[in-house]
């Protein structure tokens, strides 16, 4: 009992040291609690009696709200983890496909067999729409005027091009095959051996921001092989 008033103390009236002065603001309360995270540890009874509005459940305790928020974070983290695992598995599968492709390419003995292997892997295993190997020498050589067109328009600053081509360019490289977005690779140390062109039905599949690690390895393997096949 309160000796002065004869009234019983409230069960949460054990915070007299923190009596609020007139005119205190919500911001001041928030700042104080942020600076004193141990406040509710020292006053657990107050924590248990706080009620917060909830859209579906009416009023809930602060502990319940914190627990719910924690569960939501855990669910979100689990979802993100599952997505990362799925992406990692996909990347591993693609890496294995490229590793097998590189070995198969090195065993080829002529340009036709290289083209066959590229089509088999790119179209059947990677679900790409088209692939064309255009050497600068031999029976399948890309005409010099077309070679200059791509060099000046698509390979000014890089040995790669990712994006979309004009209808005329697609016709030169892929004939009647579909290629809504493409990856173009110059082959050879200085791009002197030819072009590898890969097409996708998806306009956004090949884009300038994509990773080039695996496709660079394929470029290097072809650059090693082609001089032997083309008798440079």
């Amino acid at each position: 009992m309160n000796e002065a008033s004869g009234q019983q103390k409230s069960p949460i009236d054990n915070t007299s040291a923190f009596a609020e002065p007139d005119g205190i603001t919500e911001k001041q309360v928030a700042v104080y609690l942020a600076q004193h995270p141990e406040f509710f540890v020292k006053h657990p009874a107050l924590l248990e009696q706080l009620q917060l509005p909830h859209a579906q459940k009416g009023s809930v305790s602060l502990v319940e709200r914190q627990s719910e928020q924690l569960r939501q974070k855990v669910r979100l983290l689990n979802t993100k983890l599952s997505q990362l695992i799925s992406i990692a598995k996909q990347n591993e599968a693609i890496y294995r496909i490229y590793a097998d492709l590189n070995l198969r390419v090195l065993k080829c003995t002529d340009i036709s067999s290289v083209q066959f292997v590229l089509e088999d892997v790119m179209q059947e295993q990677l679900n790409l729409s088209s692939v064309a190997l255009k050497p600068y020498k031999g029976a399948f050589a890309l005409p010099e005027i077309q070679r200059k067109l791509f060099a000046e328009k698509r390979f000014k600053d890089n040995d790669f091009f990712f994006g979309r081509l004009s209808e005329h360019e697609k016709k030169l490289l892929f004939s009647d095959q579909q290629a809504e977005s493409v990856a173009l690779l110059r082959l050879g140390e200085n791009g002197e051996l030819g072009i590898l062109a890969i097409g996708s039905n998806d306009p956004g599949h090949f884009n300038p921001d994509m990773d080039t690690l695996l496709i660079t390895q394929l470029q290097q393997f072809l650059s090693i092989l082609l001089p032997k096949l083309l008798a440079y």
Side-chain angles (χ1 to χ4, degrees):
M1 298 287 289
N2 187 316
E3 295 179 358
S5 63
Q7 295 179 342
Q8 186 174 356
K9 273 191 175 182
S10 166
I12 66 172
D13 190 18
N14 56 357
T15 60
S16 58
F18 301 92
E20 296 182 356
D22 293 338
I24 193 169
T25 65
E26 292 181 1
K27 184 176 181 180
Q28 289 173 312
V29 175
V31 170
Y32 179 85
L33 292 176
Q35 294 175 346
H36 299 80
E38 77 288 352
F39 178 82
F40 287 112
V41 176
K42 295 179 179 178
H43 307 281
L46 176 61
L47 178 63
E48 294 172 0
Q49 294 181 49
L50 287 176
Q51 296 290 312
L52 301 177
H54 190 283
Q56 284 77 38
K57 301 179 181 179
S59 295
V60 297
S61 72
L62 182 59
V63 174
E64 287 179 289
R65 172 60 71 86
Q66 289 175 324
S67 298
E68 182 180 350
Q69 289 178 335
L70 181 59
R71 286 193 294 269
Q72 289 176 346
K73 288 181 180 179
V74 170
R75 286 195 293 268
L76 180 60
L77 289 174
N78 285 335
T79 299
K80 289 183 177 180
L81 180 59
S82 297
Q83 292 172 343
L84 289 174
I85 292 174
S86 176
I87 291 172
K89 289 181 178 179
Q90 292 175 7
N91 288 341
E92 181 183 6
I94 293 173
Y95 174 82
R96 291 181 181 277
I97 290 172
Y98 269 94
D100 178 65
L101 169 61
N102 292 335
L103 293 177
R104 289 180 63 185
V105 161
L106 284 180
K107 295 178 182 178
C108 292
T109 56
D110 54 52
I111 294 296
S112 296
S113 59
V114 175
Q115 178 68 35
F116 174 80
V117 168
L118 290 171
E119 289 178 355
D120 181 51
V121 174
M122 295 289 179
Q123 295 177 315
E124 299 301 324
Q125 297 185 48
L126 295 176
N127 296 317
L128 296 166
S129 62
S130 52
V131 57
L133 178 61
K134 298 292 185 179
Y136 290 165
K137 187 177 180 180
F140 303 94
L142 191 69
E144 185 172 355
I145 188 171
Q146 297 176 12
R147 191 184 317 171
K148 289 182 177 179
L149 167 68
F150 287 104
E152 293 173 1
K153 191 173 181 180
R154 303 302 178 184
F155 297 117
K156 283 185 178 181
D157 304 312
N158 206 321
D159 287 335
F160 298 98
F161 170 79
F162 300 101
R164 301 186 188 187
L165 299 177
S166 68
E167 291 299 322
H168 176 64
E169 290 172 309
K170 287 192 287 186
K171 190 76 173 178
L172 293 176
L173 293 174
F174 300 105
S175 298
D176 295 325
Q177 293 181 302
Q178 287 188 310
E180 298 305 317
S181 64
V182 305
L184 304 183
L185 295 70
R186 286 208 301 181
L187 304 175
E189 186 174 346
N190 299 302
E192 75 281 0
L193 297 179
I195 297 175
L196 175 63
I198 306 168
S200 170
N201 285 329
D202 180 1
H205 183 83
F206 292 112
N207 61 81
D209 297 324
M210 70 180 299
D211 183 80
T212 62
L213 174 62
L214 296 179
I215 213 164
T216 296
Q217 292 177 345
L218 176 60
Q219 179 196 43
Q220 292 170 344
F221 274 86
L222 289 172
S223 295
I224 292 172
L225 179 65
L226 285 184
K228 302 174 184 178
L229 302 184
L230 299 174
Y232 271 82

